[in-house]
Amino acid sequence: MDFNDFVPPIVNVSFVVSIIFFFFSLMQLIQKKKLPADYFLSLFYFAVAIQNLSFWLYCRDSPVFLRYFTYSDSAFLFLIGPSLYLFVSYMTGHTLILPRIIRFHMAPFIITLTLIVVVNMLISEPQNKNGHPLLVFLIALSYLSLFLYLIFIYRTLCRHYGENRTRETRHLLICLQGSILFSFILIPSVIWKELLFISNIAFIAISLYFIFFLIRYPGFFQHIRNELQEMKYANSQLRGLDKDQLLKRLENLMAGKRIYRRSTLTLKELSHELSVSSLQLSELLNSHYNSNFNNFVNSYRIEEVKAILEAEPEANILQTAIDCGFNSKTTFNRAFLNHTGLTPSQFRKKNEYQFIN
């Protein structure tokens, strides 16, 4: 059966679903006090919206979509799995979400979308794109990726809740089970196109079920957020400490005694100066400054380097960096660029230009 024979009312459902998920994505971004997980959930909603919208545009024979964006929805399957996985991992506390981990999970989406756009630009006729080896490979890979991610998500939630599953949790797991089945059907649809018809109906049905779930249990994800915050507080290494006093002592060591000038300064040494453990200091830096030890110390070093270069335009940059606590040119240049967005030489030139004018 051809998609063009799809019943118009059902096709229009996919458009309505896409609008609803676009709305969910936007609402997730504009809420106050966002967590990093909220951005992942917003990405998930956005990717689901794109999937449904792409199906609607394809069925309506949109010339712009067929010319430039055919099969681009497959790239967004690489976004649905990772974004939901990162959201669940963050909210359940099972995975530490670091920038390099985010890049690892998001790279397939960016690469695939780029390749699909390039193929669409090189091949003008939509019918010539069918069976293109690169597109077939990317589509199959996207289906397999979604299938594996959904299994990981399901296992993560099962481990997190164990036998203590509420009614809404059971409903969410049922939705995931249906999604796993849907993604499994997608894999052989690369060869048997008839299955693609069934899988698109399944995707719309699962999207509708998820909308029902969000309307029926509007506070579910907020409950997970509160649960995570309570868990972090219960496991906090800072309980029983005077946090305000500890911050004052830390500020005195850094800004007053300029302890950061020690090029060999370590987390253990700084924590010893504060009479706390390394774990307690790490948590303090993360919770209050949203930073790790190296970035925290380097921020003080860079601020002093900047102040010296502004006051003494002729000062040797490398010697200044060493005096402020850096132990190598490479480390200094990388830290300075990350902190200011400029290389040390660019900063000096910019400062000299402002001084002249």
Side-chain angles (χ1 to χ4, degrees), residues 176-286:
L176 279 172
Q177 288 170 352
S179 301
I180 292 171
L181 179 61
F182 150 74
S183 60
F184 180 76
I185 294 174
L186 275 176
I187 298 173
S189 69
V190 177
I191 302 174
W192 295 293
K193 298 299 181 182
E194 292 78 8
L195 290 176
L196 199 58
F197 173 80
I198 300 173
S199 64
N200 275 276
I201 296 177
F203 191 84
I204 295 173
I206 292 169
S207 300
L208 287 170
Y209 185 90
F210 197 76
I211 291 172
F212 164 77
F213 177 83
L214 293 174
I215 295 173
R216 177 68 177 81
Y217 306 109
F220 179 76
F221 292 125
Q222 181 63 41
H223 173 72
I224 296 180
R225 178 202 295 240
N226 295 339
E227 183 184 73
L228 178 63
Q229 295 300 322
E230 291 173 2
M231 186 183 303
K232 284 186 175 180
Y233 177 76
N235 296 330
S236 175
Q237 300 289 330
L238 299 175
R239 295 183 67 186
L241 295 179
D242 188 336
K243 189 175 178 180
D244 291 335
Q245 185 61 31
L246 185 58
L247 288 169
K248 288 180 181 178
R249 288 162 53 202
L250 178 60
E251 179 65 20
N252 178 57
L253 282 172
M254 301 301 293
K257 297 183 178 180
R258 296 195 293 182
I259 194 175
Y260 58 83
R261 280 183 159 233
R262 298 183 195 170
S263 61
T264 58
L265 183 65
T266 63
L267 175 66
K268 185 176 180 179
E269 290 174 352
L270 183 56
S271 61
H272 179 72
E273 293 280 350
L274 292 167
S275 299
V276 296
S277 70
S278 298
L279 288 175
Q280 288 172 324
L281 179 56
S282 291
E283 183 176 337
L284 180 71
L285 296 178
N286 183 265

Side-chain angles (χ1 to χ4, degrees), residues 56-67:
W56 180 75
L57 289 170
Y58 183 85
C59 291
R60 291 177 63 87
D61 291 325
S62 169
V64 175
F65 177 81
L66 294 176
R67 171 66 180 85

Side-chain angles (χ1 to χ4, degrees), residues 18-245:
S18 69
I19 297 301
I20 294 173
F21 273 93
F22 277 129
F23 174 76
F24 286 159
S25 178
L26 179 62
M27 293 304 294
Q28 202 67 32
L29 289 177
I30 64 176
Q31 67 173 324
K32 297 180 180 179
K33 297 182 179 179
K34 291 187 290 295
L35 294 174
D38 292 314
Y39 294 101
F40 300 137
L41 188 58
S42 178
L43 272 177
F44 167 73
Y45 290 150
F46 178 78
V48 174
I50 291 293
Q51 282 292 122
N52 282 282
L53 183 62
S54 298
F55 175 67
W56 180 75
L57 289 170
Y58 183 85
C59 291
R60 291 177 63 87
D61 291 325
S62 169
V64 175
F65 177 81
L66 294 176
R67 171 66 180 85
Y68 298 103
F69 302 104
T70 303
Y71 299 116
S72 60
D73 54 317
S74 295
F76 283 88
L77 290 178
F78 279 111
L79 188 59
I80 289 177
S83 57
L84 187 58
Y85 173 75
L86 290 171
F87 169 76
V88 169
S89 296
Y90 183 93
M91 296 304 279
T92 56
H94 282 272
T95 302
L96 183 62
I97 307 301
L98 300 173
R100 58 183 176 81
I101 293 177
I102 296 174
R103 289 194 294 268
F104 171 78
H105 286 285
M106 293 299 168
F109 162 69
I110 297 172
I111 294 170
T112 302
L113 184 61
T114 302
L115 290 173
I116 290 176
V117 169
V118 169
V119 171
N120 275 300
M121 292 177 66
L122 294 176
I123 304 175
S124 58
E125 296 300 324
Q127 60 270 22
N128 295 336
K129 300 171 188 177
N130 294 331
H132 190 284
L134 178 59
L135 291 177
V136 171
F137 172 74
L138 292 175
I139 293 168
L141 203 60
S142 69
Y143 295 163
L144 179 61
S145 169
L146 180 62
F147 176 68
L148 293 176
Y149 267 110
L150 288 174
I151 290 177
F152 292 150
I153 293 166
Y154 184 81
R155 292 182 61 187
T156 299
L157 289 174
C158 287
R159 286 201 311 269
H160 180 72
Y161 287 103
E163 299 299 324
N164 302 318
R165 300 175 186 176
T166 61
R167 184 178 181 182
E168 54 263 45
T169 302
R170 289 195 296 270
H171 277 225
L172 180 60
L173 291 175
I174 290 172
C175 185
L176 279 172
Q177 288 170 352
S179 301
I180 292 171
L181 179 61
F182 150 74
S183 60
F184 180 76
I185 294 174
L186 275 176
I187 298 173
S189 69
V190 177
I191 302 174
W192 295 293
K193 298 299 181 182
E194 292 78 8
L195 290 176
L196 199 58
F197 173 80
I198 300 173
S199 64
N200 275 276
I201 296 177
F203 191 84
I204 295 173
I206 292 169
S207 300
L208 287 170
Y209 185 90
F210 197 76
I211 291 172
F212 164 77
F213 177 83
L214 293 174
I215 295 173
R216 177 68 177 81
Y217 306 109
F220 179 76
F221 292 125
Q222 181 63 41
H223 173 72
I224 296 180
R225 178 202 295 240
N226 295 339
E227 183 184 73
L228 178 63
Q229 295 300 322
E230 291 173 2
M231 186 183 303
K232 284 186 175 180
Y233 177 76
N235 296 330
S236 175
Q237 300 289 330
L238 299 175
R239 295 183 67 186
L241 295 179
D242 188 336
K243 189 175 178 180
D244 291 335
Q245 185 61 31

